[in-house]
Amino acid sequence: MRQFMAEVWWSSLTAAGHGHLDMLDPTERARLESLERPADRGRFLVGAVLLRVAVASHAGIAPTDVSIDRTCNECGAPHGAPRVMNPGMAAPWVSVSHSGVLVVVALSTMGPVGVDVQRIADLNDPAAAAGWVRREALFKARSGGPAAGGSVCELQAPLAGYAAAAALPARDDRDFVVLSWP
């Protein structure tokens, strides 16, 4: 198992493939099938698979062996923030976001993490994009549990026209690793 403070993994809709459906559990497949728009299905598929790939890389297990719980804390439906639930594993805190063609996953072994990406053209106020993603990332991190220090930092999205940020329990942006998949 790799030791790290935090990782940020990027992917895009171009990674979506029918072969990836086998990586999803029955709850994720049902959620995927419930989505009407093809782009929404693609973003969900890539997000779910990227989360499994990132956690599997950290834990040294197969992506299909990663157990994800998405139970909503408010209503009990399976659309909540993902949590890694593998028994016997020191599970990392995780966060997933997607917008346009980009998908991003953040993992942390040091405490709650939040990540957000937003296609700037989709915002009512494009000039406020940086502040928006910072607030969203911080909200997600705080929803994951008590935040202990850390920082909110801007992320360099792999495509122009996107704003992204991560709320990490790291001291600064040198304490996390950025990866891409595939």
Side-chain angles (χ1 to χ4, degrees):
M1 185 183 306
R2 270 190 294 181
Q3 296 297 315
F4 66 92
M5 286 192 75
E7 292 180 349
V8 175
W9 289 68
W10 286 100
S11 193
S12 72
L13 286 181
T14 61
H18 293 290
H20 294 129
L21 291 173
D22 294 340
M23 289 180 152
L24 304 182
D25 65 28
T27 302
E28 290 168 326
R29 281 191 208 109
R31 175 124 182 246
L32 178 71
E33 291 170 9
S34 75
L35 299 171
E36 293 180 23
R37 295 177 19 191
D40 292 336
R41 287 193 297 271
R43 282 186 283 271
F44 179 81
L45 174 62
V46 174
V49 170
L50 181 60
L51 176 58
R52 289 176 176 283
V53 166
V55 172
S57 175
H58 161 69
I61 61 176
T64 52
D65 291 337
V66 174
S67 179
I68 304 293
D69 178 39
R70 296 173 188 271
T71 303
C72 175
N73 291 333
E74 294 182 20
C75 72
H79 58 235
R83 290 178 297 283
V84 180
M85 303 298 287
N86 287 63
M89 180 173 103
W93 282 268
V94 297
S95 182
V96 179
S97 183
H98 46 72
S99 179
V101 299
L102 291 181
V103 178
V104 63
V105 167
L107 288 84
S108 168
T109 59
M110 303 303 288
V113 62
V115 69
D116 193 55
V117 63
Q118 182 64 52
R119 186 170 57 182
I120 295 170
D122 292 343
L123 295 173
N124 290 335
D125 182 5
W132 172 271
V133 295
R134 290 173 69 85
R135 282 189 301 278
E136 287 292 311
L138 189 57
F139 173 79
K140 289 178 178 183
R142 288 184 176 157
S143 297
S151 61
V152 180
C153 55
E154 289 185 37
L155 298 174
Q156 180 67 45
L159 294 175
Y162 287 82
L168 303 164
R171 289 179 301 280
D172 60 45
D173 61 5
R174 292 171 296 181
D175 292 329
F176 69 92
V177 176
V178 177
L179 302 157
S180 296
W181 177 82

